[in-house]
Amino acid sequence: MSDSVRSVNRASDRSAGTPSPHPQPPAGEARVPAQETRAADKRRDAFFDNAKYLAIVFVAMGHAWEPLRGDSRAAAALYIAVYTFHMPAFIVISGYFSRSFDASPVRVRRLVTGIAVPYVIFEVAYSLFKKWADDDPGHPISLLDPWYLTWFLGALFIWRLSTPLWKAVRWPLPLALAIAALASVSPDIGDDLDLQRVLQFLPFFVLGLCLRAEHFQLVRRREVRLLSVPVFAGALAVAYWVAPQMNAAWFYRRDSAQELAAPGWTGAVMTLALFGCSVVLVACFFAWVPRRRMWFTALGAGTLYGYLLHGFLAKGSRFWDWYDHDWIHQPLGEIAVTVVAVAVITVLCTPPVQRVFRFAMEPRMEWAFKRDAKDLARSR
């Protein structure tokens, strides 16, 4: 999981250095005039903005369903099904928009301001929030041990830096899968930078690097859309069947097989099996993403804002016992929780929210970087 109203796509495209229809100018350059910005918005591919918005909606829904799984087999099945593809889809898109990362000074500068700085800010903010909201004054502030959602920023930073390597090797995806499988059977990796997740989710990022525009065209064909319906239905049926026995921690990819009380060899098997299932469902998800501009298309540029900000409410709902009310665990309550989650994540992706939090998500930090020759020439 790295533009119109400056957001996830730009936190994705900017930090990756991917040419985007309307990138923010590097430090030292003048901002694009408003009329050019609006024209650039029209040139954006609505498909990817729609995909990012819908993926982040599923992320929020999954977090909202987590406390409901113990009382509802249906909620547990939906949770498993959504967790099979929502982060993989987001990471595939991040990889796709990282293809032009070349470790040049401009790209690295965007990587620092768009990924590294927000990681530091939100890791500190989340740690302070836990200290206060969970009455846990001893909770440490550690930039090496991501808490809750910030793991994705740390992982994206590492994945982006490794992009030139994956572009150089002959078989990048098999190599990434081998690394992920080895990580899943290595309990001594530790928690620094949530390295298990970095390595186990790596194949999806590399897959995104390997994709081309024509691959997305393939999954948007009518026959693929029709086929995706029974595939999704079958996935839900399987999820409903395995829900009582399935350990959902497999989908988080933050632990080795041994840490999940399973034999070591199952880690490699589950890595390959879950990768296959996730790729199929990600393809089905992309098949149904609208291609044209929708009312929510512009929100796709703000998904990183929604992702990081909704975590405070998601965790706060547990700290403050919002799920202790019996009615929430009834069917109507579960529907209400889902609607609220969708509404909250939608609001958090909007331009007004982006303007308020842009200082933390997309700082320009001109003071921190050298101006290159082009910047100096332009300023004369």
Side-chain angles (χ1 to χ4, degrees):
M1 71 205 253
S2 171
D3 293 12
S4 74
V5 215
R6 280 114 163 132
S7 76
V8 179
N9 205 10
R10 272 231 341 266
S12 206
D13 298 353
R14 275 177 60 222
S15 52
T18 303
S20 97
H22 133 226
Q24 179 179 352
E29 294 186 17
R31 289 186 177 275
V32 178
Q35 62 269 27
E36 293 183 27
T37 297
R38 287 192 293 270
D41 286 344
K42 295 179 180 179
R43 294 196 300 269
R44 288 174 59 88
D45 189 337
F47 171 79
F48 289 106
D49 280 336
N50 293 339
K52 285 184 294 182
Y53 168 75
L54 294 174
I56 209 65
V57 165
F58 279 117
V59 169
M61 290 166 63
H63 290 157
W65 292 335
E66 186 173 0
L68 305 174
R69 293 179 296 148
D71 301 312
S72 171
R73 188 169 179 175
L78 288 170
Y79 183 86
I80 289 173
V82 164
Y83 264 74
T84 303
F85 74 89
H86 69 359
M87 283 310 296
F90 213 76
I91 295 168
V92 166
I93 295 173
S94 298
Y96 181 74
F97 282 106
S98 297
R99 293 170 301 155
S100 296
F101 183 83
D102 56 6
S104 65
V106 171
R107 307 295 196 215
V108 171
R109 181 167 59 188
R110 293 176 182 175
L111 182 63
V112 170
T113 58
I115 300 296
V117 172
Y119 170 81
V120 173
I121 292 174
F122 276 87
E123 180 59 30
V124 172
Y126 271 128
S127 298
L128 293 175
F129 178 72
K130 180 168 172 57
K131 284 174 177 283
W132 166 70
D134 198 26
D135 193 20
D136 184 11
H139 182 76
I141 297 176
S142 172
L143 298 182
L144 292 179
D145 187 11
W147 188 72
Y148 201 36
L149 301 180
T150 53
W151 73 268
F152 178 70
L153 291 180
L156 190 55
F157 185 86
I158 295 171
W159 293 334
R160 288 258 171 84
L161 285 178
S162 71
T163 296
L165 168 65
W166 302 112
K167 292 164 67 176
V169 299
R170 181 167 295 179
W171 300 293
L173 188 55
L175 178 58
L177 281 168
I179 292 173
L182 288 173
S184 70
V185 299
S186 304
D188 296 328
I189 285 180
D191 296 328
D192 289 353
L193 294 178
D194 228 343
L195 198 53
Q196 277 286 3
R197 272 178 165 162
V198 173
L199 297 177
Q200 292 194 41
F201 274 116
L202 174 63
F204 298 104
F205 182 81
V206 175
L207 174 61
L209 288 175
C210 296
L211 293 177
R212 297 292 178 266
E214 53 267 27
H215 296 127
F216 289 96
Q217 293 294 335
L218 286 175
V219 300
R220 291 155 65 176
R221 294 166 58 182
R222 184 172 182 273
E223 53 268 35
V224 177
R225 297 182 69 185
L226 293 177
L227 181 61
S228 67
V229 175
V231 171
F232 254 127
L236 286 172
V238 172
Y240 190 85
W241 174 53
V242 303
Q245 300 85 27
M246 185 69 183
N247 184 351
W250 285 107
F251 299 94
Y252 307 153
R253 294 173 171 85
R254 66 186 177 202
D255 300 297
S256 66
Q258 295 91 327
E259 291 172 301
L260 296 178
W265 61 267
T266 60
V269 173
M270 289 296 289
T271 296
L272 297 177
L274 287 179
F275 179 78
C277 293
S278 295
V279 167
V280 170
L281 291 187
V282 166
C284 293
F285 167 72
F286 285 145
W288 279 95
V289 170
R291 311 177 204 182
R292 64 185 185 280
R293 292 192 63 83
M294 309 288 288
W295 65 267
F296 54 79
T297 301
L299 303 180
T303 47
L304 190 61
Y305 289 80
Y307 174 78
L308 290 173
L309 293 173
H310 94 280
F312 293 101
L313 286 175
K315 278 298 183 183
S317 67
R318 277 64 150 183
F319 296 156
W320 301 320
D321 302 322
W322 291 355
Y323 282 86
D324 283 357
H325 303 285
D326 292 338
W327 69 270
I328 290 181
H329 298 268
Q330 303 300 318
L332 289 179
E334 294 167 354
I335 294 173
V337 166
T338 303
V339 171
V340 169
V342 174
V344 166
I345 199 69
T346 299
V347 170
L348 293 179
C349 292
T350 57
V353 174
Q354 294 174 46
R355 286 193 290 271
V356 171
F357 290 97
R358 187 168 296 143
F359 75 94
M361 301 284 200
E362 303 173 79
R364 301 195 66 189
M365 297 181 62
E366 297 178 8
W367 53 269
F369 300 98
K370 297 178 180 178
R371 298 180 67 185
D372 59 27
K374 292 181 180 179
D375 288 341
L376 293 172
R378 192 177 289 108
S379 62
R380 287 172 185 161

